[in-house]
Amino acid sequence: MLIGISLVSFFIMHLAPGDVTSSEASFNPKASEESRQKLRELYNLDKPVIIQYGLWVKRIAQLDFGNSFASHQKPVLWERTDKSGNVTKGLIQESLPITLMINLLGICIIFSISIFLGTLSAVRQNTWVDRSITLFVFIGFAIPGFWLALLLMYWTGVSNQWLPISGLHSLGYQNLSGFGQFIDLLKHLVLPVSISSLSGLAGISLYVRNGMLDILHQDFITTARSKGLKESKVVFIHALKNAILPLITIIGLSIPGLIGGSVIAESIFAIPGMGKLFYDSVLMRDFPVIMGILTIGSFLTLIGNLLADVGYAWADPRVRKGLVK
Amino acid sequence: MNIFLKNPLALSGLIIILTILILALIAPIIAPYDPSFIDINSILFPPSINHLMGTDGLGRDVFSRMLYGAQISLLVGFVAVGIASLIGVILGSLAGFYRGWVDSLIMRFVDIMLSIPTFFLILAIIAFLTPSIWNIMIVIGLTSWMGVTRLVRAEFFSLRQREYVLAAETMGSNHFSIIVKHLLPNSLTPIIVSSVLGIASAVLVESGLSFLGLGVQAPTASWGNILTDGKEYIQFAWWLSLFPGLAILITVLGYNLLGEGLRDVLDPKNKD
């Protein structure tokens, strides 16, 4: 594992230059002269490339992503205290927890529903249950999330008014009791979380189904059956354990997609998360924020992959034993 | 053609895609109106005989705009995936054929690209360029080649030591001709399947970008930016939101069905 960790940290170092175009900004005719000047100072564009790179890495290593151009010079990453003791919160600091919350909820939902659907589909292979689940999977893959979001907004929010359709809190949020606040937040989260988990749900259901089918045809399952075990025990204890193991890796790999997908969900539902912040920054060409989010996003992906590797090694006795050797 | 007839998935996908392709090609002939003709006397008409899919907030005929939108969708899909496949095949061939440090270098690059959230990367590049249909295609192409690279490399790894490849090498064929004549034709199946599936996701990404206003720009019609209008008028004009979304759904479904079907048909492992 140590080797894995060192490899990953090595990656992060190498990720920096692969990260978009700090130089391109200065060629962009749309950047105003003022912001170009700021960029030049910020990135030391007058210095040779290698020194620039070194400086950039040094600043990133100190977690200093500079200040936003657009949002009143707010710091990009983390809060800053000025001389008179006023604290200015960082943009990513404010928005990241919201995005993380939505995505973690999404992952939980994806996990529970898709394991259920995938297993059901595999056990009832080639029946109407399997076919309708497969149809759902194909449609889930193909449906544009933003379109579904629009339809759901219209249906649940505009014509029936069941659910709030924008933001995270209702108007009188402060006056609600703790439990009321929680319910209010949940209501606001229903639509965005379902939209952002839909395509993952489809993909992972399919994955569980295929994994289950593979495993149900293996020798140890036949052994278990011939021992006279109940079918439910064979499926849920013997087979399912093996089928969901690779999901740990898949969840790790799907993190960049989830984070990227939050742009659309958050901007439609006006949720002040990292995706919306990114979208707004792109519209305003707020380069420090763009670069900051890109780096943090990649960093999260790497952490996700690392956690997935560790989780896999922890969950799979074969890998665990292999490591001991 | 036989292989399609045996597989209902592939066949239905193929029919969907061909229908859309034909509609897009004959759009100038069958479109009843000029897609960007603004008629202030027919703003937000619901669907009728005159306007099959109604009109939008500027009185433009949605059906005509949808037809031209199909052109954009197909164009973006094909060009973006063409770019991605080209890069993927070249890098994958180099990595799979030469191995060693070439392979490590290319694969590290792939890993780095994969760990940057793609949609963020696309948006960030668009922020530095002006959004236009050509930029969109190039950017989508440049950010989606990693899968093909990995596939080609894996295929090459398994083909590299086959007798016919070794024979060609012993007989003094140069590397380029071994790659092009022997290795690539034998790894075509996964490349085709992943390209078809890639078109599906390129269509989705393009419509998403256009929906956010960072893709194909008005007055050019694209399914994504018709939906943006739909969002504005969602309380009074359902037809503006319904049709483009359905079109995207059906197109993407078509490519996915075709891709999955082709995988089943062409992969001997799945024959039973």
Side-chain angles (χ1 to χ4, degrees):
Chain A
M1 271 330 293
L2 274 177
I3 297 173
I5 296 172
S6 69
L7 259 180
V8 171
S9 6
F10 184 74
F11 269 159
I12 298 172
M13 292 295 285
H14 279 244
L15 205 61
D19 185 315
V20 224
T21 56
S22 55
S23 56
E24 252 184 71
S26 60
F27 297 123
N28 179 6
K30 291 215 168 170
S32 72
E33 189 49 46
E34 186 198 5
S35 59
R36 272 195 234 174
Q37 195 51 48
K38 271 188 193 158
L39 269 180
R40 262 182 227 123
E41 286 165 22
L42 199 58
Y43 299 118
N44 296 299
L45 289 184
D46 44 343
K47 307 207 172 75
V49 181
I50 297 181
I51 295 180
Q52 278 180 42
Y53 170 60
L55 285 172
W56 193 72
V57 171
K58 197 176 147 202
R59 288 194 323 118
I60 297 299
Q62 295 166 344
L63 295 178
D64 173 13
F65 289 91
N67 296 328
S68 159
F69 294 163
S71 309
H72 310 290
Q73 293 284 308
K74 277 186 162 185
V76 170
L77 183 69
W78 205 253
E79 62 193 22
R80 166 189 65 198
T81 316
D82 61 12
K83 281 169 204 148
S84 47
N86 298 325
V87 179
T88 322
K89 291 251 182 182
L91 287 167
I92 295 181
Q93 178 192 10
E94 283 176 333
S95 60
L96 183 61
I98 298 171
T99 302
L100 279 183
M101 174 177 66
I102 292 181
N103 282 326
L104 287 180
L105 277 177
I107 287 178
C108 294
I109 291 177
I110 291 175
F111 240 123
S112 39
I113 300 186
S114 61
I115 289 175
F116 173 72
L117 285 183
T119 312
L120 191 66
S121 188
V123 174
R124 302 254 182 281
Q125 197 192 357
N126 294 331
T127 60
W128 65 269
V129 181
D130 181 28
R131 297 226 171 82
S132 37
I133 292 175
T134 311
L135 182 72
F136 162 78
V137 164
F138 268 105
I139 291 180
F141 265 136
I143 203 162
F146 52 93
W147 180 58
L148 191 67
L150 274 185
L151 296 186
L152 284 179
M153 257 169 108
Y154 181 70
W155 185 50
T156 62
V158 179
S159 60
N160 291 320
Q161 310 212 323
W162 290 332
L163 291 168
I165 54 171
S166 79
L168 272 183
H169 307 299
S170 306
L171 271 175
Y173 182 71
Q174 274 83 13
N175 306 328
L176 293 169
S177 62
F179 184 67
Q181 290 189 342
F182 178 68
I183 294 293
D184 184 57
L185 182 66
L186 272 192
K187 273 180 161 180
H188 281 87
L189 283 176
V190 173
L191 287 182
V193 170
S194 18
I195 294 297
S196 60
S197 48
L198 185 76
S199 85
L201 192 65
I204 292 179
S205 302
L206 188 67
Y207 196 85
V208 173
R209 174 183 182 268
N210 293 343
M212 269 305 251
L213 282 181
D214 250 16
I215 284 163
L216 283 176
H217 288 120
Q218 278 181 19
D219 292 345
F220 72 91
I221 293 294
T222 318
T223 312
R225 277 188 183 140
S226 54
K227 277 198 306 191
L229 283 184
K230 265 189 271 169
E231 184 65 18
S232 61
K233 208 167 182 191
V234 174
V235 171
F236 291 108
I237 311 243
H238 288 78
L240 192 60
K241 247 194 204 163
N242 287 284
I244 60 178
L245 255 186
L247 283 194
I248 300 174
T249 319
I250 297 286
I251 293 280
L253 287 178
S254 62
I255 290 177
L258 282 171
I259 297 180
S262 61
V263 175
I264 288 182
E266 286 175 8
S267 32
I268 291 180
F269 293 109
I271 289 170
M274 207 166 73
K276 175 136 195 331
L277 174 66
F278 192 74
Y279 175 60
D280 293 341
S281 312
V282 166
L283 288 184
M284 291 184 289
R285 290 167 207 276
D286 195 345
F287 299 117
V289 183
I290 296 178
M291 310 253 304
I293 295 183
L294 212 54
T295 315
I296 294 292
S298 320
F299 187 70
L300 283 180
T301 309
L302 289 178
I303 292 184
N305 289 345
L306 183 67
L307 284 182
D309 282 351
V310 175
Y312 195 89
W314 169 77
D316 189 340
R318 286 165 295 192
V319 178
R320 223 167 33 211
K321 297 262 163 63
L323 276 185
V324 172
K325 253 185 248 169
Chain B
M1 266 333 275
N2 271 338
I3 56 168
F4 283 111
L5 294 179
K6 279 186 211 146
N7 188 308
L9 276 188
L11 184 68
S12 46
L14 188 71
I15 291 174
I16 295 174
I17 300 306
L18 283 182
T19 314
I20 294 167
L21 187 69
I22 292 169
L23 284 177
L25 285 179
I26 59 171
I29 307 169
I30 58 169
Y33 300 88
D34 178 344
S36 28
F37 176 68
I38 296 172
D39 181 0
I40 50 162
N41 293 318
S42 58
I43 287 173
L44 293 179
F45 279 11
S48 64
I49 303 290
N50 286 333
H51 298 281
L52 282 178
M53 296 182 180
T55 59
D56 66 5
L58 294 172
R60 295 174 293 195
D61 180 51
V62 177
F63 181 60
S64 311
R65 291 179 69 72
M66 293 285 297
L67 287 174
Y68 281 90
Q71 291 183 339
I72 299 289
S73 217
L74 288 168
L75 189 67
V76 170
F78 282 114
V79 176
V81 169
I83 295 173
S85 304
L86 190 69
I87 301 176
V89 166
I90 293 175
L91 289 183
S93 307
L94 290 177
F97 190 85
Y98 291 105
R99 305 187 185 193
W101 65 268
V102 181
D103 179 41
S104 325
L105 191 73
I106 292 174
M107 284 303 120
R108 289 302 80 74
F109 188 39
V110 167
D111 288 339
I112 291 172
M113 289 294 290
L114 280 177
S115 63
I116 305 175
T118 315
F119 203 69
F120 276 13
L121 186 62
I122 293 176
L123 282 181
I125 301 175
I126 301 273
F128 292 109
L129 305 166
T130 39
S132 78
I133 175 166
W134 294 104
N135 285 340
I136 299 293
M137 294 191 285
I138 295 171
V139 171
I140 296 178
L142 289 181
T143 48
S144 54
W145 49 268
M146 291 80 79
V148 185
T149 308
R150 285 188 156 177
L151 277 177
V152 175
R153 169 180 178 267
E155 285 293 311
F156 274 32
F157 265 40
S158 74
L159 293 174
R160 186 73 173 81
Q161 296 302 322
R162 298 281 170 88
E163 278 89 357
Y164 64 89
V165 179
L166 294 178
E169 206 167 5
T170 324
M171 281 155 68
S173 303
N174 65 24
H175 293 170
F176 181 75
S177 81
I178 295 175
I179 291 177
V180 173
K181 273 193 200 147
H182 300 290
L183 291 170
L184 274 183
N186 283 302
S187 25
L188 218 49
T189 308
I191 301 178
I192 293 175
V193 171
S194 90
S195 301
V196 174
L197 296 176
I199 297 179
S201 63
V203 169
L204 271 181
V205 171
E206 182 274 325
S207 59
L209 285 173
S210 298
F211 177 72
L212 290 174
L214 294 165
V216 177
Q217 299 292 302
T220 311
S222 113
W223 292 339
N225 65 26
I226 302 176
L227 263 175
T228 317
D229 295 349
K231 188 185 163 204
E232 300 283 313
Y233 298 106
I234 189 156
Q235 304 192 27
F236 340 100
W238 54 267
W239 55 91
L240 269 180
S241 304
L242 182 70
F243 294 120
L246 270 184
I248 299 169
L249 172 65
I250 292 172
T251 311
V252 175
L253 192 63
Y255 284 118
N256 281 339
L257 287 175
L258 183 63
E260 295 293 334
L262 279 178
R263 193 206 305 271
D264 288 352
V265 171
L266 298 175
D267 188 349
K269 267 181 293 184
N270 287 337
K271 273 186 190 143
D272 49 32

